Amino acid sequence: MNHNPPAQPPPGPDLDPVTGNMAEAFRLLQAPPTAPGRPQPPAHRIRTDPDAVGEDLLKLVLTLVELVRQLIERQALRRVDAGDLTDEQEEELGATLLALHERMSDLCAQHGYALEDLNLDLGPLGPLLPP
């Protein structure tokens, strides 16, 4: 019986530069110190309408579901192009994806959105969903 010690996993990526940059970014985002003897201004609070928060959350959830739907659709197309599926599987997958697309359209319409309205602007990275 051989009692070798368990193999050590390979070292992970060096995250020190990333964590250092994040710490610096957070430091820069902090409010500047107030002058001695001056009262500290009150913290900024976001005032929101509870109805708007619910709608924004709904739109976020619909956007994430649409992102997952598009990713599944792309993966299905890759499998079809690779010839990994039988004709019956391709047909069933196509019908399922079409039904999912229609259901997403219905959900959006129920809440006053179009599928094109579902997107997040990621700033310099661009939109979350492709055009």
Side-chain angles (χ1 to χ4, degrees), residues 7-31:
Q8 294 293 323
D14 181 17
L15 298 177
D16 288 339
V18 174
T19 57
N21 289 340
M22 288 181 72
E24 179 66 9
F26 283 124
R27 184 188 69 74
L28 293 171
L29 288 174
Q30 292 177 359

Side-chain angles (χ1 to χ4, degrees), residues 62 65-66 69 95-111 115 118:
L62 288 172
V65 171
E66 177 62 12
R69 186 196 68 77
T96 302
L97 290 173
L98 181 61
L100 182 56
H101 184 273
E102 289 173 357
R103 183 64 182 128
M104 276 299 297
S105 295
D106 291 345
L107 278 171
C108 287
Q110 284 176 0
H111 296 283
L115 283 175
L118 303 180

Side-chain angles (χ1 to χ4, degrees), residues 47-115:
R47 290 174 183 31
T48 59
D49 175 18
D51 294 333
V53 171
E55 281 299 311
D56 290 345
L57 181 59
L58 173 67
K59 189 173 180 183
L60 174 62
V61 169
L62 288 172
T63 299
L64 293 175
V65 171
E66 177 62 12
L67 173 65
V68 171
R69 186 196 68 77
Q70 287 184 16
L71 292 173
I72 291 170
E73 190 173 88
R74 285 189 203 127
Q75 182 62 29
L77 290 173
R78 284 188 195 102
R79 292 205 49 205
V80 167
D81 289 344
D84 291 346
L85 304 172
T86 65
D87 290 341
E88 289 140 5
Q89 288 173 322
E90 283 181 26
E91 197 148 322
E92 183 180 4
L93 186 57
T96 302
L97 290 173
L98 181 61
L100 182 56
H101 184 273
E102 289 173 357
R103 183 64 182 128
M104 276 299 297
S105 295
D106 291 345
L107 278 171
C108 287
Q110 284 176 0
H111 296 283
Y113 300 115
L115 283 175

